[in-house]
Amino acid sequence: QVQLVESGGGFMQPGGSLRLSCTASETIYSSEPMSWYRQAPGKERVFVARIRSGRDPEHAEAVRGRFDISRDKAKKTVYLQMNSQKPEETAVYYCNVRREGVNDWGRGTLVTVSS
């Protein structure tokens, strides 16, 4: 089981930008998808973005054009650049990797968007 550690969360005002990072404890092959999900208070966890080799990065419709997922294989890290954030995007953001049909999750990092 790979360990995933998210970082970069914090407080920000609406319209601001933040970059989240997720570092894995071991090498993740480019073919293995790495994703970001988020869970707002009182709501279910939902998909945000995914990256894997051979395909264009995927972003949920709600964040398309404002969020950008990227990956540094050498650093075993996936990033989520978040721009123009909205108060309703306050949530715990989770990193995920899927390997051989098994999902591994980080513990999440809290992002609070408020004026």
Side-chain angles (χ1 to χ4, degrees):
Q1 184 177 9
V2 61
Q3 306 299 315
L4 301 170
V5 179
E6 301 97 335
S7 61
F11 179 87
M12 59 187 301
Q13 293 188 336
S17 297
L18 205 61
R19 189 177 81 157
L20 305 181
S21 301
C22 169
T23 300
S25 58
E26 57 189 73
T27 298
I28 306 297
Y29 293 107
S30 297
S31 60
E32 296 169 327
M34 295 190 74
S35 305
W36 286 97
Y37 287 73
R38 65 187 179 191
Q39 187 166 15
K43 296 188 177 181
E44 294 184 351
R45 192 175 300 187
V46 297
F47 169 77
V48 176
R50 178 178 297 119
I51 190 166
R52 53 185 155 182
S53 64
R55 301 192 183 190
D56 292 334
E58 304 168 57
H59 298 83
E61 184 175 356
V63 306
R64 203 168 294 153
R66 298 185 297 116
F67 288 18
D68 183 40
I69 188 170
S70 62
R71 188 172 185 172
D72 187 327
K73 185 179 178 182
K75 295 182 179 179
K76 297 180 287 186
T77 299
V78 63
Y79 303 97
L80 184 68
Q81 177 66 43
M82 305 185 294
N83 301 317
S84 303
Q85 282 208 283
K86 306 173 183 179
E88 57 266 34
E89 294 180 318
T90 291
V92 178
Y93 285 71
Y94 295 92
C95 182
N96 166 278
V97 61
R98 186 169 179 84
R99 316 174 78 183
E100 299 179 345
V102 177
N103 283 304
D104 288 316
W105 295 91
R107 293 189 174 185
T109 185
L110 176 63
V111 174
T112 302
V113 186
S114 176
S115 56

